Short mmCIF file of all heavy atoms in Angstrom, two decimals:
data_model
loop_
_atom_site.label_atom_id
_atom_site.label_comp_id
_atom_site.label_asym_id
_atom_site.label_seq_id
_atom_site.Cartn_x
_atom_site.Cartn_y
_atom_site.Cartn_z
N ARG A 67 3.08 -68.13 -6.69
CA ARG A 67 3.03 -69.43 -6.40
C ARG A 67 3.69 -70.34 -7.22
O ARG A 67 3.44 -70.17 -8.49
CB ARG A 67 1.66 -69.97 -6.09
CG ARG A 67 0.85 -69.21 -5.05
CD ARG A 67 1.33 -69.36 -3.60
NE ARG A 67 1.57 -70.80 -3.24
CZ ARG A 67 0.61 -71.56 -2.84
NH1 ARG A 67 -0.67 -71.22 -2.77
NH2 ARG A 67 0.81 -72.91 -2.50
N ASN A 68 4.68 -71.07 -6.82
CA ASN A 68 5.51 -71.83 -7.66
C ASN A 68 5.20 -73.35 -7.52
O ASN A 68 5.20 -73.94 -6.39
CB ASN A 68 6.99 -71.65 -7.52
CG ASN A 68 7.45 -70.22 -7.93
OD1 ASN A 68 7.14 -69.79 -8.97
ND2 ASN A 68 8.13 -69.53 -7.04
N ASN A 69 4.91 -74.10 -8.50
CA ASN A 69 4.58 -75.49 -8.56
C ASN A 69 3.63 -75.76 -7.32
O ASN A 69 3.78 -76.62 -6.55
CB ASN A 69 5.82 -76.26 -8.37
CG ASN A 69 6.86 -76.03 -9.47
OD1 ASN A 69 6.43 -76.01 -10.63
ND2 ASN A 69 8.13 -75.96 -9.06
N ALA A 70 2.51 -75.09 -7.47
CA ALA A 70 1.41 -75.19 -6.49
C ALA A 70 0.10 -75.76 -7.12
O ALA A 70 0.02 -75.61 -8.26
CB ALA A 70 1.05 -73.92 -5.77
N PRO A 71 -0.82 -76.51 -6.41
CA PRO A 71 -2.05 -76.97 -6.99
C PRO A 71 -2.94 -75.82 -7.31
O PRO A 71 -2.93 -74.68 -6.85
CB PRO A 71 -2.63 -77.62 -5.73
CG PRO A 71 -1.53 -77.95 -4.79
CD PRO A 71 -0.56 -76.95 -4.93
N SER A 72 -3.71 -76.04 -8.51
CA SER A 72 -4.44 -74.93 -9.06
C SER A 72 -5.64 -75.47 -9.69
O SER A 72 -5.75 -76.77 -9.75
CB SER A 72 -3.62 -74.02 -10.05
OG SER A 72 -3.64 -74.64 -11.33
N ILE A 73 -6.46 -74.77 -10.43
CA ILE A 73 -7.52 -75.35 -11.05
C ILE A 73 -7.21 -76.09 -12.33
O ILE A 73 -7.89 -76.84 -12.82
CB ILE A 73 -8.65 -74.16 -11.39
CG1 ILE A 73 -8.10 -73.18 -12.30
CG2 ILE A 73 -9.39 -73.73 -10.22
CD1 ILE A 73 -9.15 -72.16 -12.85
N ASN A 74 -5.91 -75.88 -12.72
CA ASN A 74 -5.35 -76.53 -13.87
C ASN A 74 -4.21 -77.53 -13.51
O ASN A 74 -3.25 -77.69 -14.21
CB ASN A 74 -4.87 -75.54 -14.98
CG ASN A 74 -6.05 -75.05 -15.83
OD1 ASN A 74 -7.12 -75.45 -15.77
ND2 ASN A 74 -5.56 -73.87 -16.38
N GLY A 75 -4.37 -78.10 -12.24
CA GLY A 75 -3.27 -79.11 -11.69
C GLY A 75 -2.13 -78.16 -11.24
O GLY A 75 -2.26 -77.03 -10.91
N THR A 76 -1.01 -78.82 -11.02
CA THR A 76 0.09 -78.21 -10.31
C THR A 76 0.84 -77.27 -11.42
O THR A 76 1.25 -77.75 -12.44
CB THR A 76 1.09 -79.23 -9.98
OG1 THR A 76 0.57 -80.09 -8.98
CG2 THR A 76 2.33 -78.61 -9.21
N GLN A 77 0.77 -76.01 -10.96
CA GLN A 77 1.26 -74.90 -11.85
C GLN A 77 1.94 -73.89 -11.00
O GLN A 77 1.77 -73.76 -9.87
CB GLN A 77 0.13 -74.31 -12.69
CG GLN A 77 -0.77 -75.25 -13.46
CD GLN A 77 -0.13 -75.37 -14.84
OE1 GLN A 77 0.71 -74.60 -15.31
NE2 GLN A 77 -0.58 -76.47 -15.56
N SER A 78 2.58 -72.91 -11.78
CA SER A 78 3.04 -71.68 -11.19
C SER A 78 2.27 -70.56 -11.57
O SER A 78 2.02 -70.51 -12.88
CB SER A 78 4.64 -71.48 -11.52
OG SER A 78 5.55 -72.40 -11.00
N PHE A 79 1.93 -69.70 -10.77
CA PHE A 79 0.87 -68.66 -11.11
C PHE A 79 1.00 -67.52 -10.14
O PHE A 79 1.58 -67.65 -9.17
CB PHE A 79 -0.56 -69.22 -11.12
CG PHE A 79 -1.03 -69.88 -9.83
CD1 PHE A 79 -1.51 -69.19 -8.75
CD2 PHE A 79 -0.74 -71.31 -9.59
CE1 PHE A 79 -1.78 -69.81 -7.64
CE2 PHE A 79 -1.05 -71.92 -8.47
CZ PHE A 79 -1.55 -71.16 -7.46
N ASP A 80 0.45 -66.34 -10.56
CA ASP A 80 0.43 -65.16 -9.81
C ASP A 80 -0.87 -65.07 -8.96
O ASP A 80 -1.95 -65.65 -9.48
CB ASP A 80 0.40 -63.81 -10.60
CG ASP A 80 1.93 -63.65 -11.17
OD1 ASP A 80 2.85 -64.09 -10.58
OD2 ASP A 80 1.81 -63.03 -12.25
N GLN A 81 -0.82 -64.38 -7.77
CA GLN A 81 -2.00 -64.11 -6.92
C GLN A 81 -2.04 -62.62 -6.85
O GLN A 81 -1.00 -61.98 -6.67
CB GLN A 81 -1.92 -64.61 -5.56
CG GLN A 81 -1.83 -66.21 -5.38
CD GLN A 81 -1.56 -66.59 -4.05
OE1 GLN A 81 -0.70 -65.97 -3.36
NE2 GLN A 81 -2.23 -67.55 -3.48
N TYR A 82 -3.23 -62.05 -7.21
CA TYR A 82 -3.42 -60.73 -7.00
C TYR A 82 -4.38 -60.47 -5.80
O TYR A 82 -5.45 -61.19 -5.74
CB TYR A 82 -4.32 -60.06 -8.16
CG TYR A 82 -3.66 -60.34 -9.58
CD1 TYR A 82 -4.47 -60.06 -10.66
CD2 TYR A 82 -2.23 -60.58 -9.71
CE1 TYR A 82 -3.91 -60.30 -11.98
CE2 TYR A 82 -1.76 -60.75 -10.98
CZ TYR A 82 -2.50 -60.53 -12.05
OH TYR A 82 -2.00 -60.78 -13.31
N ILE A 83 -3.92 -59.59 -4.83
CA ILE A 83 -4.60 -59.54 -3.58
C ILE A 83 -4.85 -58.03 -3.24
O ILE A 83 -3.98 -57.31 -3.11
CB ILE A 83 -3.70 -60.17 -2.44
CG1 ILE A 83 -3.29 -61.53 -2.78
CG2 ILE A 83 -4.57 -60.12 -1.06
CD1 ILE A 83 -2.33 -62.22 -1.82
N SER A 84 -6.10 -57.73 -2.95
CA SER A 84 -6.53 -56.52 -2.42
C SER A 84 -7.03 -56.60 -1.12
O SER A 84 -7.90 -57.58 -0.95
CB SER A 84 -7.66 -55.81 -3.30
OG SER A 84 -7.27 -55.49 -4.65
N VAL A 85 -6.55 -55.86 -0.16
CA VAL A 85 -6.89 -55.94 1.22
C VAL A 85 -7.56 -54.78 1.79
O VAL A 85 -6.85 -53.69 1.72
CB VAL A 85 -5.69 -56.34 2.24
CG1 VAL A 85 -6.09 -56.59 3.60
CG2 VAL A 85 -5.08 -57.74 1.60
N ARG A 86 -8.75 -54.93 2.16
CA ARG A 86 -9.40 -53.64 2.71
C ARG A 86 -8.81 -52.98 3.99
O ARG A 86 -8.43 -53.66 4.83
CB ARG A 86 -10.98 -54.09 3.07
CG ARG A 86 -11.93 -52.84 3.33
CD ARG A 86 -13.29 -53.35 3.59
NE ARG A 86 -14.28 -52.25 3.41
CZ ARG A 86 -14.46 -51.31 4.43
NH1 ARG A 86 -13.85 -51.37 5.57
NH2 ARG A 86 -15.47 -50.51 4.08
N ASN A 87 -8.80 -51.74 3.98
CA ASN A 87 -8.20 -50.88 5.00
C ASN A 87 -9.12 -49.65 5.28
O ASN A 87 -9.13 -48.77 4.60
CB ASN A 87 -6.68 -50.56 4.80
CG ASN A 87 -6.04 -49.83 5.99
OD1 ASN A 87 -6.58 -50.05 7.11
ND2 ASN A 87 -5.10 -48.97 5.87
N PRO A 88 -9.82 -49.67 6.45
CA PRO A 88 -9.76 -50.59 7.60
C PRO A 88 -10.52 -51.95 7.25
O PRO A 88 -11.58 -51.89 6.47
CB PRO A 88 -10.38 -50.03 8.68
CG PRO A 88 -11.36 -49.07 8.16
CD PRO A 88 -10.72 -48.56 6.85
N LYS A 89 -10.00 -53.05 7.69
CA LYS A 89 -10.82 -54.29 7.46
C LYS A 89 -12.15 -54.35 8.29
O LYS A 89 -12.31 -53.56 9.33
CB LYS A 89 -9.94 -55.49 7.91
CG LYS A 89 -9.81 -55.69 9.44
CD LYS A 89 -8.92 -56.80 9.88
CE LYS A 89 -8.79 -56.87 11.25
NZ LYS A 89 -7.88 -58.05 11.80
N HIS A 90 -13.19 -55.03 7.78
CA HIS A 90 -14.29 -55.14 8.60
C HIS A 90 -13.92 -56.15 9.74
O HIS A 90 -13.18 -57.17 9.52
CB HIS A 90 -15.37 -55.92 7.86
CG HIS A 90 -16.01 -54.87 6.74
ND1 HIS A 90 -16.65 -53.67 7.24
CD2 HIS A 90 -16.28 -55.03 5.50
CE1 HIS A 90 -17.06 -53.12 6.06
NE2 HIS A 90 -16.94 -53.88 5.08
N ASN A 91 -14.20 -55.79 10.86
CA ASN A 91 -13.98 -56.70 12.09
C ASN A 91 -14.77 -57.93 11.98
O ASN A 91 -15.97 -57.95 11.72
CB ASN A 91 -14.18 -56.00 13.38
CG ASN A 91 -13.28 -54.86 13.71
OD1 ASN A 91 -12.00 -54.98 13.33
ND2 ASN A 91 -13.75 -53.84 14.30
N PRO A 92 -14.20 -59.07 12.45
CA PRO A 92 -15.02 -60.32 12.43
C PRO A 92 -16.24 -60.18 13.39
O PRO A 92 -16.29 -59.21 14.31
CB PRO A 92 -14.14 -61.30 13.10
CG PRO A 92 -12.75 -60.78 12.57
CD PRO A 92 -12.87 -59.28 12.77
N GLY A 93 -17.28 -60.90 13.26
CA GLY A 93 -18.55 -60.88 14.02
C GLY A 93 -19.60 -60.58 13.03
O GLY A 93 -19.57 -61.00 11.85
#
């Protein structure tokens, strides 16, 4: 994310994302 709002104001920062497979279905 470049020049985006964060907990420290507008900053550039990385996002780490782990996504479950298979995902749990909503409900």
Side-chain angles (χ1 to χ4, degrees):
R67 297 296 309 278
N68 293 309
N69 299 318
S72 79
I73 58 170
N74 284 343
T76 300
Q77 299 276 343
S78 295
F79 54 89
D80 287 331
Q81 294 174 317
Y82 304 162
I83 305 168
S84 294
V85 180
R86 193 181 195 277
N87 183 23
K89 68 180 180 181
H90 288 303
N91 290 324

